[in-house]
Amino acid sequence: MKNKLISIIFLSLLILLIACDQIRDNYYNCSSEDLKYETTNITLSNNSSSVNINVYHGKSNIEHQRGLMCIRDSEVIDGMLFSYKNEQKSSFWMLKTFIPITIIYFDTNNLSVDFFEMKPCKRTLFQKMTAYEQKCYEESKDYIPQTNYINSLELFESFEKLEEIKTILADDKLKLMINN
């Protein structure tokens, strides 16, 4: 009898763990549809070094709006490049974004102008979606760049060369080159 009870408890916990991703996706209103972003190889460089990076490339308004929302796995790609037709000044928010990100803003000469370490905006249990969106909007004010930008690059915290990039950004500008 005791073994049966332990087995039932273990099986229940296993089912709950498997369902957690689906529960979280429903709670955050995340779609299970695969994102169909174009992938691009970019290079960040200065006078002494360069780093090649594989990223999603968001060009359309819908891709800009969706960004890296609802992505749980950063093993497939290193981040996302956002390219705009006109200069921007707005910040990015971390609504429905589960992975910490470093964002780098680039001017019309493709030189870095600012960067921020962004943390996921977490929704509390029973928090209404409108209150969650307002909270994320307020947090986004911490990520407003000092000047206008034409491209922005979001890199996942797990990207292996992120610390090297942040060290360079502390003292120097990086040049963005889109390779394809």
Side-chain angles (χ1 to χ4, degrees), residues 56-145:
Y56 293 131
H57 196 176
K59 298 176 188 175
S60 71
N61 285 341
I62 192 75
E63 291 171 334
H64 293 160
Q65 290 170 7
R66 179 75 189 261
L68 295 173
M69 288 179 180
C70 301
I71 293 178
R72 287 186 242 104
D73 183 6
S74 63
E75 294 178 15
V76 176
I77 204 85
D78 300 318
M80 185 165 182
L81 176 67
F82 297 81
S83 294
Y84 299 91
K85 294 177 182 159
N86 300 310
E87 286 185 295
Q88 306 289 309
K89 179 70 174 170
S90 59
S91 63
F92 280 60
W93 67 354
M94 294 292 285
L95 180 83
K96 301 180 190 179
T97 306
F98 308 126
I99 302 171
I101 290 171
T102 294
I103 188 166
I104 308 168
Y105 296 101
F106 297 89
D107 65 15
T108 55
N109 296 315
N110 280 333
L111 293 174
S112 59
V113 293
D114 214 342
F115 79 101
F116 298 94
E117 294 177 6
M118 299 167 44
K119 300 295 177 204
C121 180
K122 297 189 178 179
R123 185 175 179 195
T124 60
L125 192 60
F126 305 117
Q127 185 177 30
K128 291 183 179 180
M129 184 56 83
T130 53
Y132 169 61
E133 288 172 350
Q134 183 62 37
K135 174 187 169 192
C136 296
Y137 170 73
E138 291 300 323
E139 289 179 7
S140 77
K141 293 177 182 179
D142 294 335
Y143 312 129
I144 298 172

Side-chain angles (χ1 to χ4, degrees), residues 6-56:
I6 291 172
S7 295
I8 290 171
I9 291 171
F10 177 76
L11 186 58
S12 298
L13 287 173
L14 183 62
I15 291 170
L16 181 63
L17 285 174
I18 292 170
C20 278
D21 282 342
Q22 184 63 38
I23 291 168
R24 180 178 57 191
D25 285 353
N26 288 339
Y27 187 63
Y28 281 96
N29 294 329
C30 287
S31 170
S32 61
E33 296 174 12
D34 290 334
L35 302 175
K36 304 290 186 216
Y37 293 127
E38 172 187 325
T39 58
T40 301
N41 180 270
I42 63 171
T43 302
L44 297 181
S45 63
N46 67 356
N47 291 333
S48 60
S49 66
S50 67
V51 177
N52 289 317
I53 307 169
N54 292 311
V55 295
Y56 293 131

